[in-house]
Amino acid sequence: MVTTREIATAVVTASLIFGAAALAQAYDGGEVKDGGTISGTVKFAGAPPARKTIEVTKDKEVCAKEKHLSFDLVVGPDKGIENAVVRLVDVKKGKKWASTKAELDQKGCVYRPHVTVVPAGGELNILNSDGILHNIHTYSKANPSINKAQPKFKKVLTEKFSKPEVIKVACDAHAWMGGWIVASEHPYIAVTDAKGAFSLKDVPAGTYKVEIWQETLGKSEKTVTVKAKEETKLNVELAKK
Ligand SMILES: [Cu+2]
């Protein structure tokens, strides 16, 4: 027979173990003095494919004002890849988030930006600038999936993603709409610009694993050593697998 006392001991032991695990995982954000910078570019190796033209089949008066091109792989003139995510892996201590809020707009029936970074547990304000019905549908595992209509009168939907995760977002009303929400526990994460450039600032001196991810090219990992007040260059090439 299991006594009440044994159950109580088991509960206390379990909570100590899980409590310790939770503490070990939590990111400690504060002030960073004498941090360094990791900056560089993510480029496409080889002949970049042309973006496909997307046919707008619905709500053309709003959605077809601009020509739609595919966003799954956007390569600039100098082979810079736009919308790749560069982030530190396993960083436990560093700077605070500049803001606990992020914004994602649905404009011209396109997600802007295509890849939205949000602090894990922070607020994501999802705007509907189009004044037509959109539907926010997220495909996630660590966080609960969202499947909510956003009618034209609903200008803002506010959502939270408590667990770090890369989440696909789509609209069931407009099949071509697709984007990504990246919930991160720490602020050492950047989305590359139209030239494929990125910068991670105020990184405490040390050696880090850096993960580079692009939705069609997958993940790759590099090791970078950051020195106080210095800039470390990281130039990455990604190729089709
Ligand atoms: Cu839509």
Side-chain angles (χ1 to χ4, degrees):
M1 212 180 112
V2 180
T3 64
T4 312
R5 192 190 165 128
E6 280 167 339
I7 293 170
T9 309
V11 169
V12 169
T13 310
S15 58
L16 282 174
I17 292 166
F18 291 120
L23 280 178
Q25 279 171 9
Y27 171 74
D28 180 11
E31 199 183 337
V32 173
K33 283 182 181 169
D34 301 335
T37 299
I38 304 170
S39 67
T41 53
V42 179
K43 293 198 173 187
F44 188 79
R51 292 171 73 183
K52 292 180 205 79
T53 301
I54 305 282
E55 194 193 345
V56 172
T57 49
K58 198 180 165 189
D59 295 323
K60 289 182 184 175
E61 67 289 354
V62 174
C63 303
K65 281 181 188 162
E66 287 174 39
K67 187 182 171 186
H68 283 243
L69 296 170
S70 61
F71 278 97
D72 57 347
L73 180 58
V74 181
V75 182
D78 205 21
K79 293 195 181 181
I81 299 175
E82 189 175 356
N83 297 322
V85 176
V86 181
R87 67 182 192 100
L88 298 190
V89 182
D90 289 339
V91 60
K92 293 297 171 207
K93 200 172 159 66
K95 67 177 172 183
K96 278 188 198 149
W97 284 96
S99 168
T100 56
K101 290 181 182 171
E103 204 171 272
L104 168 59
D105 196 6
Q106 299 158 104
K107 196 173 181 189
C109 309
V110 170
Y111 292 113
R112 299 170 199 263
H114 180 65
V115 179
T116 307
V117 172
V118 60
E123 288 184 352
L124 177 63
N125 289 322
I126 303 166
L127 312 184
N128 181 356
S129 293
D130 283 334
I132 58 170
L133 172 72
H134 287 298
N135 167 266
I136 290 291
H137 197 162
T138 63
Y139 296 82
S140 52
K141 288 187 182 128
N143 291 282
S145 282
I146 300 163
N147 189 356
K148 287 185 185 172
Q150 190 169 9
K152 60 181 178 183
F153 55 83
K154 186 81 183 164
K155 293 291 177 201
V156 187
L157 267 180
T158 302
E159 298 293 339
K160 282 187 177 181
F161 306 87
S162 59
K163 303 264 170 57
E165 189 175 14
V166 176
I167 302 163
K168 172 88 188 157
V169 58
C171 174
D172 296 317
H174 306 106
W176 64 86
M177 288 180 73
W180 298 87
I181 295 165
V182 184
S184 175
E185 65 175 348
H186 64 75
Y188 297 108
I189 179 164
V191 179
T192 52
D193 66 14
K195 291 179 174 173
F198 71 91
S199 169
L200 300 171
K201 294 192 174 80
D202 304 314
V203 181
T207 298
Y208 299 92
K209 277 184 189 162
V210 182
E211 183 191 276
I212 302 98
W213 174 83
Q214 200 281 335
E215 61 190 273
T216 61
L217 304 175
K219 276 182 192 174
S220 82
E221 207 171 79
K222 302 280 177 194
T223 302
V224 171
T225 297
V226 178
K227 290 179 182 161
K229 296 183 185 174
E230 286 187 19
E231 186 159 355
T232 306
K233 283 286 171 195
L234 176 65
N235 294 318
V236 183
E237 283 203 333
L238 299 180
K240 287 253 183 209
K241 282 177 181 160

